[in-house]
Amino acid sequence: MNRRNFLTLTGTFTGGMLVLPSFLHAFGEQSNLVIGEQCLVFVQLNGGNDGLNTFIPYDDPLYYEYRTKIALNKDIVVGKNKGMAFHPALKDFAQMQQNGDLTVIQNVGYPEPVRSHFRSQEIWQTAADSNKYINEGWLGRYLDLQCHDHQPTAGINLDSIDNLALKGLEPNSITVKDPDRFKVKSNKENEKLSDNPQLDFVRKIANSVVEGSGDIQNALKQSKTEISYPKTGLSKNLEWIARLVKGNLNSKVYYTSLGGFDTHDNQLSLHERKLTELNDALFSFYNDLKEAQLLQNVTVVVFSEFGRRVKDNGSGTDHGTAAPMFVIGGNNKGTILGNNPNLADLDNGDLKHQIDFRSVYASLLQQKMGFDYSKIGIKNNPVSGLF
């Protein structure tokens, strides 16, 4: 029995003999109460996703003037709302928003934007200014402070390479490509401390991997996949994440990515294919969590390192600046935050960002994780109206 049911039913089961303070009765009756561990799931769209063809200003004639070759007809876009609509491949994004479970944050970016894939990803992953370099990721810094004694599975990166966002001073995260095969046996020699701090640190990481492997296997034993996922890489990663969440691994952060968004050429077909993969994978994950009654505990964040240029280049788009972010679950408000893209007021052909991505990070840390974002160097105020 969860705590909410306990607090609601205690008076019934005790025949009224047990007196609870009135605030506890009110606590138990809250319909939107979130019980249990909160976690964040990040889906990074690598390559610079074209935001204008993802969440489309279909009612703005300038959209069609700038994009004579790749504009999407207003008759095929879905989920129309205040002059904006989703790409038809994102039909289930529109459904999730209609359900009140998806918020779009418009025109997200940062000052003095950088068009290099690697550098812009680095800025998003460290939450640094575009002219500053930080060795630890923003989530790694958070986990360093959150995990008073290091926890090897506080962060899980579903990938074949490490992610800078999760890098901290302590080994609080693990990168794993296939959790089912992530089985590491203990080596007693690694448990012995020495007089060499560097060696001890390496042993600490090795022991963390062993401990993390055991925790992951235990979580997988306690869960199973309840629904059918598509046969794609992103879907498989999200299916693993759902298994770990349902198996009570209690990680704070999960991270995965989807590549292929650098659409300089042949954008219409390439973009449709990638957005279809994104839509189908996330909608399966969403339904899995809803069926397990865990959607309110899991906040999914979808973003890319930058958007694309407003004007097409003939058959595609080149590197741009601001773009929308999407937040699913976590009891978000299910709305659209920010103004529609202003195509009449551009910065040398690029959208001007209106919301700094670090304001979104601040909201996630403060309102979902109960953490003071300023402790990891974020100075931006939280974006309002998200949760």
Side-chain angles (χ1 to χ4, degrees):
M1 175 178 288
N2 65 37
R3 283 173 284 173
R4 176 168 56 191
N5 289 342
F6 170 77
L7 292 167
T8 303
L9 298 175
T10 298
T12 302
F13 287 133
T14 60
M17 296 296 289
L18 179 62
V19 178
L20 290 176
S22 59
F23 78 89
L24 283 182
H25 282 296
F27 181 84
E29 295 295 343
Q30 292 179 36
S31 61
N32 64 342
L33 188 65
V34 175
I35 296 293
E37 291 286 337
Q38 293 290 303
C39 69
L40 304 174
V41 176
F42 293 89
V43 179
Q44 181 174 316
L45 308 180
N46 291 330
N49 177 47
D50 182 12
L52 285 175
N53 270 23
T54 300
F55 195 55
I56 302 157
Y58 72 92
D59 220 17
D60 188 340
L62 288 175
Y63 167 72
Y64 299 96
E65 288 185 26
Y66 278 117
R67 299 191 157 204
T68 58
K69 303 295 184 183
I70 64 164
L72 291 158
N73 192 291
K74 63 178 63 179
D75 294 333
I76 66 170
V77 298
V78 295
K80 294 179 179 179
N81 189 348
K82 299 179 181 178
M84 301 296 297
F86 291 97
H87 188 291
L90 297 176
K91 62 184 187 304
D92 295 318
F93 272 51
Q95 182 62 57
M96 289 187 285
Q97 181 164 72
Q98 187 175 343
N99 294 346
D101 294 323
L102 184 150
T103 289
V104 183
I105 310 171
Q106 303 215 76
N107 308 303
V108 182
Y110 56 89
E112 301 178 6
V114 177
R115 289 183 177 81
S116 159
H117 292 295
F118 178 80
R119 177 57 186 149
S120 193
Q121 288 174 6
E122 188 177 64
I123 290 166
W124 278 78
Q125 290 169 354
T126 61
D129 293 338
S130 60
N131 61 349
K132 294 182 180 178
Y133 293 80
I134 299 178
N135 291 326
E136 288 78 37
W138 73 282
L139 291 168
R141 302 197 302 275
Y142 156 67
L143 293 177
D144 278 342
L145 294 175
Q146 179 68 25
C147 306
H148 303 295
D149 185 17
H150 93 275
Q151 300 170 21
T153 58
I156 302 290
N157 178 39
L158 269 292
D159 207 334
S160 56
I161 58 172
D162 289 341
N163 192 298
L164 176 58
L166 288 163
K167 181 185 176 185
L169 296 176
E170 293 290 329
N172 289 313
S173 65
I174 283 179
T175 294
V176 54
K177 186 171 179 61
D178 184 347
D180 199 33
R181 298 182 180 180
F182 185 55
K183 300 174 183 178
V184 183
K185 294 183 179 180
S186 175
N187 183 347
K188 296 298 182 182
E189 288 298 315
N190 284 337
E191 298 174 6
K192 298 178 182 179
L193 294 180
S194 70
D195 295 327
N196 186 329
Q198 287 79 15
L199 177 59
D200 285 345
F201 182 72
V202 171
R203 284 175 169 167
K204 189 176 186 180
I205 293 175
N207 291 336
S208 290
V209 171
V210 173
E211 184 181 344
S213 170
D215 291 343
I216 287 173
Q217 295 310 312
N218 287 335
L220 292 179
K221 288 177 184 177
Q222 297 179 52
S223 65
K224 59 182 179 180
T225 300
E226 308 288 350
I227 68 168
S228 177
Y229 280 76
K231 305 298 183 184
T232 65
L234 179 62
S235 291
K236 192 61 184 177
N237 286 350
L238 291 175
E239 182 181 351
W240 284 127
I241 292 172
R243 289 276 307 277
L244 296 174
V245 171
K246 290 186 292 185
N248 297 312
L249 183 62
N250 289 335
S251 298
K252 301 292 184 184
V253 180
Y254 297 89
Y255 215 109
T256 190
S257 61
L258 176 64
F261 288 90
D262 198 15
T263 51
H264 292 277
D265 302 302
N266 196 24
Q267 176 169 315
L268 284 176
S269 60
L270 291 175
H271 200 220
E272 180 181 16
R273 187 157 64 245
K274 299 312 296 185
L275 290 182
T276 298
E277 182 177 352
L278 177 68
N279 174 86
D280 295 354
L282 274 173
F283 196 54
S284 296
F285 184 64
Y286 166 85
N287 285 324
D288 200 355
L289 293 177
K290 282 192 75 172
E291 191 165 308
Q293 298 184 335
L294 287 170
L295 184 63
Q296 75 276 9
N297 298 72
V298 181
T299 304
V300 185
V301 184
V302 184
F303 74 98
S304 191
E305 71 264 28
F306 46 63
R308 316 292 292 188
R309 300 278 285 175
V310 173
K311 184 175 175 57
D312 65 41
N313 63 17
S315 63
T317 49
D318 299 321
H319 299 176
T321 53
M325 291 179 72
F326 304 98
V327 175
I328 302 166
N331 274 1
N332 75 82
K333 292 292 182 63
T335 186
I336 301 173
L337 298 179
N339 300 320
N340 292 355
N342 188 347
L343 304 185
D345 182 22
L346 302 177
D347 180 11
N348 192 29
D350 281 318
L351 291 172
K352 296 179 179 178
H353 89 277
Q354 293 184 337
I355 297 175
D356 194 297
F357 72 90
R358 288 159 292 203
S359 290
V360 182
Y361 289 177
S363 292
L364 295 170
L365 290 174
Q366 182 187 70
Q367 297 177 264
K368 292 288 95 182
M369 311 309 287
F371 182 81
D372 180 359
Y373 54 89
S374 67
K375 290 183 177 180
I376 62 167
I378 293 179
K379 300 175 183 177
N380 305 76
N381 293 324
V383 63
S384 60
L386 180 53
F387 300 105

